[in-house]
Amino acid sequence: MKLLIIEDHIELLRTVVGYLSSEGFLCEEAATYAAAEEKLGVYHYDIVLLDLTLPDGSGLDILRKLKEDHPETGILILSAKDSLDDRLKGLDEGADDYITKPFHLAELNSRLNALIRRSSFQGRRTITFNEIEIETDAKEVRIGERLLELTKKEYDLLLYFVVNKGRLLTKEAIAEHLWGDQIDMVDNFDFIYTHIKNLRKKLTLSGGTDYVQTVYATGYKFTER
């Protein structure tokens, strides 16, 4: 899952990014309204953690624009203790949840996982596609009783495919989802083919079906043929 953390307190920002990265999230960061606006204009995020009080603008304006441009993006407000009015405005404008500073990182992680289950997995901890079963909390994949030995990128790729089953996913979209802003530094997307090839091989060797369909010169679909 790809996150954008918008927070002007640099020490808190670094702490949150470090912790959530260790929990398996792909994290990007913005410490100002301008930086957040720039990133949101170029990249797509599954969830945005949003501080409403930024030094150069209002987080509520970011929230409103997000809901207009990307209504599917989950929004979790990072709120100061004394900002009840802002929290209520944020929820009224479409934010999904809030957490009050100071907070425990474990609670933030739990709230994020709950938000992901609601927004992407219809509240489920287990996602199934035919014989493939994905345990989102444990980040494990099984085919029947067999546990697949997947790398983190292979797991993220499979989950991305299953959540977007039937949709055409371009190489650019896949690369951005798995690598974030760093993808701007690469010259081509040949490495995507390697990860997909390895995932296909592990699925079939474990008794599963290869549901990945290559769409020539465009990208991939995860679908029954």
Side-chain angles (χ1 to χ4, degrees):
M1 286 288 148
K2 186 178 173 187
L3 312 181
L4 176 63
I5 298 97
I6 305 171
E7 167 61 55
D8 70 319
H9 191 288
I10 299 301
E11 184 177 351
L12 176 60
L13 177 62
R14 295 282 187 265
T15 299
V16 169
V17 168
Y19 176 79
L20 293 179
S21 296
S22 73
E23 290 295 310
F25 292 103
L26 179 62
C27 298
E28 306 294 344
E29 59 187 69
T32 64
Y33 181 98
E37 190 175 42
E38 180 180 357
K39 284 183 177 290
L40 291 169
V42 178
Y43 305 105
H44 175 265
Y45 300 92
D46 297 297
I47 293 180
V48 172
L49 281 67
L50 177 61
D51 182 5
L52 296 180
T53 54
L54 298 169
D56 54 340
S58 170
L60 287 172
D61 290 336
I62 293 176
L63 193 159
R64 294 184 189 106
K65 186 164 179 55
L66 257 176
K67 283 303 167 183
E68 286 180 10
D69 297 343
H70 300 288
E72 74 284 357
T73 299
I75 301 175
L76 191 154
I77 293 172
L78 305 177
S79 168
K81 274 187 177 181
D82 57 354
S83 60
L84 176 61
D85 287 345
D86 283 344
R87 289 202 299 271
L88 294 177
K89 286 179 185 176
L91 293 172
D92 288 342
E93 293 285 351
D96 299 281
D97 197 1
Y98 71 86
I99 189 168
T100 303
K101 306 175 193 176
F103 48 78
H104 292 288
L105 293 170
E107 181 186 358
L108 176 62
N109 187 43
S110 295
R111 286 179 178 269
L112 276 174
N113 284 317
L115 177 52
I116 291 167
R117 287 195 297 271
R118 292 197 303 271
S119 60
S120 298
F121 309 148
Q122 292 79 51
R124 295 168 294 168
R125 283 183 166 86
T126 302
I127 303 172
T128 57
F129 183 86
N130 293 345
E131 74 279 13
I132 300 171
E133 184 176 280
I134 303 173
E135 296 283 347
T136 59
D137 284 355
K139 294 182 172 57
E140 293 179 347
V141 178
R142 285 182 169 79
I143 293 180
E145 297 299 318
R146 181 172 295 184
L147 179 66
L148 271 66
E149 296 290 336
L150 300 179
T151 66
K152 181 183 182 302
K153 293 299 184 191
E154 289 164 358
Y155 171 85
D156 290 342
L157 179 60
L158 178 60
L159 184 61
Y160 188 50
F161 274 138
V162 171
V163 170
N164 292 281
K165 57 183 181 290
R167 294 177 55 194
L168 173 61
L169 301 175
T170 65
K171 295 176 184 177
E172 292 83 357
I174 294 170
E176 183 190 323
H177 183 83
L178 296 181
W179 279 270
D181 295 3
Q182 298 174 10
I183 205 61
D184 289 342
M185 295 183 287
V186 304
D187 296 325
N188 60 63
F189 300 107
D190 291 346
F191 56 90
I192 295 290
Y193 171 77
T194 301
H195 285 289
I196 290 176
K197 178 182 177 183
N198 291 338
L199 177 61
R200 283 171 151 167
K201 182 177 180 180
K202 290 181 180 182
L203 287 172
T204 54
L205 287 177
S206 298
T209 301
D210 176 11
Y211 296 107
V212 181
Q213 176 185 351
T214 303
V215 181
Y216 179 72
T218 305
Y220 300 90
K221 280 185 180 181
F222 196 84
T223 182
E224 296 184 67
R225 314 242 171 173

